[in-house]
Amino acid sequence: MTDSSDVLITEVGPRDGLQNEAAPVSSAAKVAFVEALVRAGVRQIEVTSFVHPSRVPAMADAEAVYAGVRREPGVRYLALTPNERGYERATAAGCDAVAVFTAASEDFTRANIGMSIDESLERFRAISREAQRDGVAVRGYVSTVFACPFAGPIAPEAVLRVVEPMLEGGCYEVSLGDTIGIGTPADVSRLLDLLLTRVPADKLALHLHDTWGMAAANTLRGLDHGIRSFDSSAGGLGGCPYAPGATGNAATEDLVHMLHALGHDTGLDVEAVALAADAIAGSLDHALVGRAHQAILARRRRLARAQGAA
Ligand code: HMG
Ligand code: MG
């Protein structure tokens, strides 16, 4: 965060966004996307994911992308690592910050990473031990915090059961994933009312998908509970290949526009984020859906036309 920033945005577009894209995006375009987002002020960014390449083909070039990014001081460049093999690949590529992930739902964990929640926590502890030895920072994710695409509603207690061991095991922060974007502000309150009795707010982040259009409302509710760390993806890119129906993440431009209007400081230049997203959109087979993203580009086109006419 910059000195005056009070809200941390973790940009997940290059990973959560691009992992779901059917069109092949070149490694060079991915590297340029990461670097443009950092120039826009991003201080924590998920660059790629060292998962099994046959499971998520869009992340098969993780080594080339991670090693290709020119690193700036003061920026945390994360990579998703599901197991020890992923951790070894990530650190061999020069990674010093990893994100481990599990879920509050057994069915989702099984579909996503082929193991039970308890097994995934064992895997996490093994990674965490290596990370502590190597001086690598570990961020945690808990998916399906409100509902699972297979098992339906998830009780807040099931989330707490996973969040606590992740923090005790060394995660500097745990991000709560509304994987299928179905939570409402009432769900956010129910979950945070329980978690915050056991965990400080500054150890939690919200990772909201915008499938049902609730991401901004849920962010507001998170702010009301003292959460100051939010994940989002430029242009609203995103989805999870193992969550049927999951669409894009909360769009970075939407969140930043709202947060700045409320007097918060994210350290991000929202126009520069929109331009970074517009550049990667050139590699995709569809337009980006983020509302503020579209509004910013439309305003730029109007201004350019007006200047051309003057
Ligand atoms: P597995 O097949 O059960 O692994 O996959 P295994 O341990 O049985 O090993 C089988 C083979 O895979 C072995 O090779 C391993 O070396 C290899 P062999 O000996 O047969 O030649 N292998 C690997 N190769 C490369 N990289 C690795 C790796 N691990 C094993 N890391 C695994 C288990 C977890 C790897 C697999 O299920 C997987 O890759 N899943 C990825 C799922 C995924 O990426 N999902 C999307 C990200 S999560 C998400 O989007 C949610 C989030 O955004 C939050 C939210 O929105 O809620 C974070
Ligand atoms: Mg996600």
Side-chain angles (χ1 to χ4, degrees):
M1 286 197 249
T2 61
D3 284 348
S4 60
S5 303
D6 67 328
V7 172
L8 177 66
I9 294 287
T10 299
E11 173 58 52
V12 297
R15 193 280 304 173
D16 208 348
L18 295 182
Q19 75 180 4
N20 220 26
E21 290 298 335
V25 178
S26 72
S27 308
K30 293 175 182 175
V31 168
F33 187 36
V34 172
E35 291 179 350
L37 288 163
V38 169
R39 279 197 301 278
V42 167
R43 289 294 166 265
Q44 180 153 276
I45 185 162
E46 233 173 44
V47 174
T48 186
S49 148
F50 290 89
V51 294
H52 200 294
S54 71
R55 297 288 303 271
V56 186
M59 296 286 111
D61 60 352
E63 274 84 358
V65 173
Y66 200 95
V69 170
R70 195 177 45 235
R71 313 263 288 270
E72 300 296 337
V75 180
R76 186 172 266 155
Y77 296 86
L78 288 157
L80 215 63
T81 53
N83 55 13
E84 295 94 319
R85 172 92 185 93
Y87 178 84
E88 282 159 20
R89 289 177 56 206
T91 47
C95 180
D96 59 5
V98 297
V100 294
F101 54 106
T102 183
S105 150
E106 285 292 354
D107 300 73
F108 182 79
T109 311
R110 182 67 61 191
N112 196 32
I113 48 178
M115 51 187 110
S116 69
I117 295 174
D118 284 344
E119 283 166 341
S120 73
L121 291 173
E122 273 310 307
R123 280 270 159 75
F124 152 62
R125 287 190 194 97
I127 291 177
S128 191
R129 277 192 296 273
E130 289 186 49
Q132 261 168 21
R133 189 197 58 211
D134 300 342
V136 168
V138 183
R139 186 172 201 246
Y141 274 114
V142 178
S143 287
T144 61
V145 296
F146 302 128
C148 164
F150 312 110
I154 296 290
E157 290 73 15
V159 181
L160 180 63
R161 187 177 91 74
V162 187
V163 168
E164 280 192 311
M166 294 189 95
L167 288 172
E168 285 159 11
C171 288
Y172 66 86
E173 171 179 71
V174 170
S175 185
L176 306 167
D178 183 9
T179 318
I180 53 173
I182 200 168
T184 64
D187 296 313
V188 174
S189 286
R190 240 189 322 272
L191 177 61
L192 292 177
D193 282 345
L194 175 69
L195 294 186
L196 293 174
T197 61
R198 303 288 289 264
V199 173
D202 65 2
K203 293 282 178 198
L204 297 174
L206 284 175
H207 176 101
L208 303 163
H209 284 256
D210 203 22
T211 319
W212 286 69
M214 291 288 108
N218 290 343
T219 300
L220 271 180
R221 189 55 64 90
L223 284 170
D224 289 345
H225 283 78
I227 303 298
R228 293 291 181 272
S229 182
F230 299 91
D231 301 355
S232 60
S233 76
L237 275 163
C240 175
Y242 294 97
T247 57
N249 292 88
T252 305
E253 297 93 318
D254 289 8
L255 291 201
V256 171
H257 173 67
M258 180 181 77
L259 288 163
H260 289 182
L262 289 169
H264 292 288
D265 184 357
T266 64
L268 267 72
D269 173 346
V270 72
E271 293 253 340
V273 172
L275 291 176
D278 194 38
I280 199 75
S283 299
L284 308 179
D285 54 8
H286 61 90
L288 294 179
V289 296
R291 302 297 289 267
H293 170 80
Q294 294 179 32
I296 290 165
L297 294 181
R299 184 176 61 193
R300 287 180 67 87
R301 283 193 294 273
R302 259 195 328 273
L303 283 172
R305 272 199 304 274
Q307 275 164 7

